[in-house]
Amino acid sequence: MGDCDPGLSELAYDAKRFLLHMRSIIEMAPLQAYYSGLLFAPRSSLIRVGYLKNIPWLTMQPKVANVWSSLIQTLEGHTDYVNSAVFSPDGKLVASASRDNTVRLWDTSTGKPYGILKGHTDSVISAVFSPDGKLVASAGWDQTVRLWDASTGKQYGLLEGHTSLVTSAVFSPDGRLVASVSWDNTVRLWDISTGKQCGFLEGHASDVNSAVFSADGKFVVSASDDNTVRLWDTSTGKQCGVLEGHTGFVKSAVFSPDGKLVASASRDATVRLWDTPTGKQYGVLEGHTSLVNSAVFLPNGNLIASASNDHTVRLWNASTGKQYGLLEGHTDWVNSAVFSPDGKFVASASRDKTVGLWDISKKQYGVLEGHTKTVNSTVFSPDGKLVASASQDRTVRLWDPSRGKQCGVVEGHTDAVNSAVFSPDGNIVASASWDKTIRLWDTSTGKQCGVLIGHTSNVNSAVFSPDGKLVASASDDSTVRLWDTSTGRQCGVLKGHTSLVKSAVFSPDGKLVASASFDNTVRLWDTSTRKQCGVFKHVAWPANSTVFSPDGKLVAFASSNSMVRLWDTSTGQQCGVLEGHTQYVSSAVFSPDGKLVASASNDKTVRLWDTSTVKHCAVLRGHTDSVNSAVFSPDGKLVASASDDETVRLWDPSNKTTIEIIKTHARITLEKFSNDGAHLHTSHGILQLKSSPHSGGNRELPHTLTHSLYVTDQWITCNMKKLLWLPVEYRLSCSAVNDTPNHIVIGSPSGRLIFISIDFTALPAAYLQPPVSVAAIAGKGFLGLVGC
């Protein structure tokens, strides 16, 4: 073996990385190894170089990293946030605790599930192995600690006594005791052999988040929301030290292997080191940009791993306090990170529902062009030739979707950018930011052409008037401001709201602006006089639910007080209260002729209302969860609704029946029907309808969609059939689909953007058929060929 060909060893290593990285999808849909597997492997991967052939239906491939990163594998199976993950003493298993009420065991060599521990009746916050690896202790929001036999998965014991949710449990080094902590402000010690409480540690003034024994078992260190770390003598139960210095909640604390140091992780975005004998602060590890959930020492004490809400795990040199490595790949908060017993690997648990396994010896990180933090929004220009993306990294970036290349980085904001929007002619982009400004950018040059300064707090949104001559911005400073886009000057401050303004919208003719505020009102403003011409009161938290009728004569807004209210824009007087829903109304929309309003509600229904009589004329029932949006077909004869039950329903309101049910595999919102009524534009792409809706709509826009592209959490689909699987690191925080050249852009929490283009004419024939029957879609979910 010593004379093994280096090239063969490199190929074997690459093949192993490929198989581990793609294991879950290969087991589910083997053909995706040739599509998603090869496409998303690093460019230098020998497997990719040797086997990736031309994929005829893919006219633009996603850009990927150059080399394998330190992320070896992502373990998927939990159906909700993963709160913690830990290695067994021999490193052969990982136990993960989740908000889905389960603990899962995983084989670290293959990544395959080893067992599921079921019994908790609420979220499981932590799980840990006993020193001999034979037991697992789990702590949950059901106020219990449960003990499990790791080999059989059967419950071994139940420790009850806490009076609030239990956040952590840990074994003593000799395995005889368990220490548990709770939001009842206490740490409790339990005798494993009897299951009885044998210690009660009081002193914290707020919730206790974690506790751990010292290596000799003589002490316990605990972390609390009272901003302190406390040391306890396990033999007497007395407090023997209070470590103070954090300026926020302390989420966890842990001893170094030799017991001389304590590392604590806090909401103040730092990890602090403390000298155990004296209680004095030894160092502060700074670098995370959000709350730090946990910190843990390498078994030899040389490194510290910290997990944070900034989606990263950071490695630190324990003696110098300098950052040693950065593990990026999770798409949501990282709740915990731990070293393997041999110190070669890290397991991380995330709110993205996955566990990550990392090889910390591989200090190679793939670099992708794009944002460096979460992408908040992506939007196509009116002609589809550009994409603008707004990010928490304080930039707006312009992209050419036909080439998937960045064509401009718009820098200037000094805080996160909430949104970006194109002007009607596509020549300008307006971006709204937490830095209290709106900035205007020339899309042809990428240069800033205006800074709109005046707001005194975060700007939540900006919108162009229909003619593009004005911008209206809504802010936390309780105002709406109007700006002249040609000069960049403020031309009106619309004052009257007494709380933050969430959104503003222009009437179809641009003469009015309606603004929705957390002061429970919607206000109407005349853009020519800049004066208020209507105050619509008694609205509870309307948020983004304000809409004008097509002729601009009415305004409707939905409210959390279960009502929809109608107002006459000419008089500013309320002309109707639409009552009937029993829970929060999330949206309201007018029919194309303005004679009806459709309202969507958390009470799982859509209601139709006659605007002339102000009475409801239909209740559409069938969804099994909250309905978040509804839209009319172009001729007004059909209604489509989207629900948190992950379905879209197409209704014939004349007889209150469901015509079609589409399983979306994600929570989506509806935007509009296509002009021919055969497709639905949604927040995740375009859905093709099997039914034959009435034609109608704008005859000046004859373009008819032929097929639909849609993005779920894990898949890109064509006509609701699985086409291309998305690995975890490429999944969306936002997405946009442009139907004319069939471009897809996906923005991720990591900051990367990927562009993919599909040639429908080169797809297998089965993909070009419309969706299958209602029953098949509702009962079996997606169908697919490439993904089968």
Side-chain angles (χ1 to χ4, degrees):
M1 293 296 292
D3 298 327
C4 182
D5 183 351
L8 186 59
S9 296
E10 185 179 355
L11 178 61
Y13 172 79
D14 190 77
K16 179 180 178 181
R17 291 299 306 267
F18 181 88
L19 290 172
L20 287 175
H21 190 66
M22 300 300 296
R23 180 196 60 79
S24 62
I25 189 58
I26 291 174
E27 290 180 353
M28 182 190 350
L31 289 179
Q32 281 294 316
Y34 296 94
Y35 295 95
S36 177
L38 293 173
L39 278 175
F40 289 106
R43 286 194 289 268
S44 65
S45 164
L46 297 179
I47 299 297
R48 175 189 168 105
V49 171
Y51 293 95
L52 180 60
K53 309 299 180 184
N54 178 51
I55 301 175
W57 47 265
L58 201 65
T59 56
M60 182 165 56
Q61 297 181 3
K63 289 186 176 179
V64 296
N66 289 317
V67 297
W68 290 109
S69 74
S70 54
L71 178 62
I72 300 172
Q73 193 171 10
T74 302
L75 309 180
E76 295 188 274
H78 284 294
T79 58
D80 211 328
Y81 306 158
V82 185
N83 294 311
S84 71
V86 63
F87 285 95
S88 60
D90 60 9
K92 294 181 179 180
L93 295 177
V94 162
S96 56
S98 169
R99 203 168 78 165
D100 65 10
N101 302 359
T102 71
V103 175
R104 291 179 182 250
L105 303 179
W106 311 83
D107 185 316
T108 57
S109 62
T110 64
K112 290 184 177 182
Y114 180 81
I116 304 178
L117 312 182
K118 296 180 180 180
H120 281 286
T121 58
D122 208 333
S123 178
V124 188
I125 305 303
S126 73
V128 63
F129 285 93
S130 60
D132 61 9
K134 293 181 179 180
L135 295 179
V136 171
S138 58
W141 280 8
D142 59 9
Q143 302 183 15
T144 70
V145 175
R146 294 173 190 258
L147 303 177
W148 311 84
D149 186 311
S151 61
T152 66
K154 293 183 178 180
Q155 187 170 298
Y156 174 83
L158 178 64
L159 311 180
E160 296 180 290
H162 284 291
T163 58
S164 186
L165 60 90
V166 186
T167 53
S168 176
V170 63
F171 286 94
S172 60
D174 61 9
R176 295 180 179 180
L177 299 178
V178 163
S180 61
V181 302
S182 167
W183 284 9
D184 63 11
N185 301 0
T186 70
V187 180
R188 296 174 190 245
L189 302 180
W190 309 83
D191 186 314
I192 295 301
S193 61
T194 65
K196 293 182 179 181
Q197 184 176 298
C198 58
F200 186 69
L201 314 181
E202 284 187 294
H204 281 294
S206 189
D207 304 337
V208 188
N209 297 310
S210 76
V212 66
F213 286 91
S214 59
D216 58 10
K218 294 180 179 179
F219 299 96
V220 165
V221 62
S222 58
S224 169
D225 281 1
D226 65 10
N227 297 4
T228 70
V229 175
R230 294 174 189 253
L231 297 174
W232 311 84
D233 186 314
T234 56
S235 61
T236 64
K238 292 183 178 180
Q239 184 176 289
C240 53
V242 182
L243 312 182
E244 297 180 286
H246 281 294
T247 58
F249 301 160
V250 187
K251 302 296 291 184
S252 75
V254 62
F255 286 101
S256 61
D258 61 9
K260 294 180 180 180
L261 294 178
V262 167
S264 56
S266 170
R267 187 175 181 176
D268 64 13
T270 70
V271 174
R272 293 175 188 252
L273 301 180
W274 312 83
D275 184 87
T276 306
T278 65
K280 291 184 178 179
Q281 188 171 289
Y282 175 81
V284 183
L285 312 182
E286 297 180 290
H288 283 295
T289 58
S290 188
L291 183 157
V292 186
N293 291 304
S294 73
V296 63
F297 283 90
L298 187 72
N300 64 13
N302 292 339
L303 292 179
I304 294 170
S306 56
S308 169
N309 282 10
D310 65 10
H311 304 182
T312 71
V313 175
R314 293 173 190 256
L315 304 178
W316 311 85
N317 185 302
S319 59
T320 66
K322 292 183 179 180
Q323 187 170 298
Y324 172 83
L326 177 64
L327 309 182
E328 296 180 289
H330 282 297
T331 58
D332 209 329
W333 301 350
V334 186
N335 294 317
S336 75
V338 293
F339 288 99
S340 60
D342 61 9
K344 294 180 179 179
F345 303 98
V346 165
S348 56
S350 171
R351 204 167 75 156
D352 65 13
K353 306 178 186 177
T354 70
V355 176
L357 296 180
W358 312 78
D359 182 345
I360 63 172
S361 67
K362 299 291 179 182
K363 296 191 67 177
Q364 295 178 312
Y365 306 100
V367 178
L368 284 175
E369 181 181 37
H371 291 286
T372 58
K373 291 185 179 179
T374 300
V375 184
N376 290 325
S377 72
T378 55
V379 61
F380 278 92
S381 60
D383 62 7
K385 293 182 179 179
L386 288 176
V387 167
S389 56
S391 170
Q392 289 183 12
D393 69 5
R394 307 179 183 182
T395 71
V396 175
R397 294 174 188 252
L398 299 177
W399 307 80
D400 179 344
S402 65
R403 298 183 299 152
K405 291 189 176 181
Q406 185 174 288
C407 54
V409 181
V410 179
E411 297 179 290
H413 283 294
T414 58
D415 209 331
V417 187
N418 293 318
S419 67
V421 61
F422 283 92
S423 59
D425 61 9
N427 292 333
I428 298 175
V429 167
S431 53
S433 170
W434 283 5
D435 68 7
K436 308 174 187 178
T437 72
I438 304 96
R439 294 176 186 253
L440 303 180
W441 315 87
D442 186 314
T443 58
S444 62
T445 64
K447 293 183 178 179
Q448 185 174 289
C449 56
V451 183
L452 314 184
I453 301 176
H455 283 295
T456 58
S457 190
N458 300 340
V459 185
N460 294 310
S461 67
V463 61
F464 283 92
S465 59
D467 61 9
K469 293 181 179 180
L470 295 177
V471 165
S473 55
S475 169
D476 282 1
D477 65 9
S478 305
T479 71
V480 175
R481 295 176 189 250
L482 298 179
W483 313 84
D484 185 316
T485 56
S486 62
T487 65
R489 292 181 180 176
Q490 185 174 289
C491 54
V493 183
L494 312 183
K495 295 182 180 180
H497 286 295
T498 58
S499 186
L500 65 89
V501 187
K502 185 67 176 177
S503 68
V505 60
F506 283 93
S507 60
D509 59 9
K511 293 180 179 180
L512 299 175
V513 167
S515 55
S517 167
F518 279 15
D519 65 7
N520 298 356
T521 71
V522 169
R523 294 174 188 256
L524 197 64
W525 314 84
D526 187 314
T527 58
S528 60
T529 65
R530 314 319 191 222
K531 291 182 179 180
Q532 184 173 289
C533 53
V535 183
F536 310 152
K537 298 181 180 180
H538 312 299
V539 184
W541 298 81
N544 292 315
S545 54
T546 307
V547 62
F548 283 92
S549 61
D551 60 9
K553 293 181 179 180
L554 295 176
V555 167
F557 51 86
S559 165
S560 62
N561 64 2
S562 308
M563 300 177 186
V564 178
R565 295 176 185 263
L566 295 179
W567 304 84
D568 187 314
T569 59
S570 62
T571 65
Q573 299 294 312
Q574 182 173 293
C575 55
V577 181
L578 312 183
E579 296 182 274
H581 285 295
T582 58
Q583 291 188 39
Y584 173 87
V585 184
S586 52
S587 73
V589 63
F590 284 92
S591 60
D593 60 9
K595 293 181 179 180
L596 295 177
V597 166
S599 55
S601 170
N602 281 20
D603 67 10
K604 307 176 187 178
T605 71
V606 177
R607 292 180 182 250
L608 300 182
W609 314 81
D610 187 313
T611 57
S612 61
T613 64
V614 200
K615 292 182 179 179
H616 77 72
C617 48
V619 182
L620 309 180
R621 293 186 172 95
H623 285 295
T624 59
D625 206 336
S626 303
V627 187
N628 60 65
S629 57
V631 292
F632 283 93
S633 59
D635 61 4
K637 294 182 179 180
L638 297 178
V639 171
S641 58
S643 167
D644 290 358
D645 65 12
E646 299 188 352
T647 68
V648 167
R649 287 179 178 251
L650 189 65
W651 308 85
D652 182 344
S654 63
N655 56 23
K656 305 175 188 177
T657 58
T658 300
I659 299 173
E660 184 174 350
I661 303 172
I662 302 174
K663 185 67 177 174
T664 61
H665 290 260
R667 182 192 183 278
I668 68 170
T669 56
L670 301 181
E671 297 168 356
K672 63 179 182 178
F673 274 85
S674 60
N675 295 312
D676 62 0
H679 295 78
L680 282 168
H681 292 253
T682 80
S683 57
H684 281 222
I686 300 169
L687 297 176
Q688 185 177 20
L689 301 173
K690 175 182 178 293
S691 308
S692 299
H694 304 278
S695 61
N698 191 341
R699 298 297 184 182
E700 296 178 0
L701 298 173
H703 172 68
T704 300
L705 299 174
T706 55
H707 304 289
S708 65
L709 291 174
Y710 174 83
V711 186
T712 71
D713 181 49
Q714 296 188 29
W715 290 90
I716 293 174
T717 72
C718 177
N719 295 336
M720 294 305 289
K721 298 167 187 175
K722 294 175 180 177
L723 182 63
L724 188 66
W725 184 73
L726 297 171
V728 171
E729 60 270 32
Y730 292 92
R731 293 179 190 168
L732 72 164
S733 59
C734 58
S735 64
V737 174
N738 191 28
D739 56 278
T740 305
N742 304 320
H743 289 319
I744 302 170
V745 57
I746 298 173
S748 75
S750 67
R752 62 166 57 94
L753 276 87
I754 61 170
F755 291 82
I756 294 174
S757 292
I758 306 296
D759 179 2
F760 287 137
T761 64
L763 280 169
Y767 275 99
L768 307 182
Q769 298 171 3
V772 295
S773 69
V774 175
I777 294 174
K780 298 182 181 178
F782 289 122
L783 298 181
L785 294 175
V786 175
C788 287

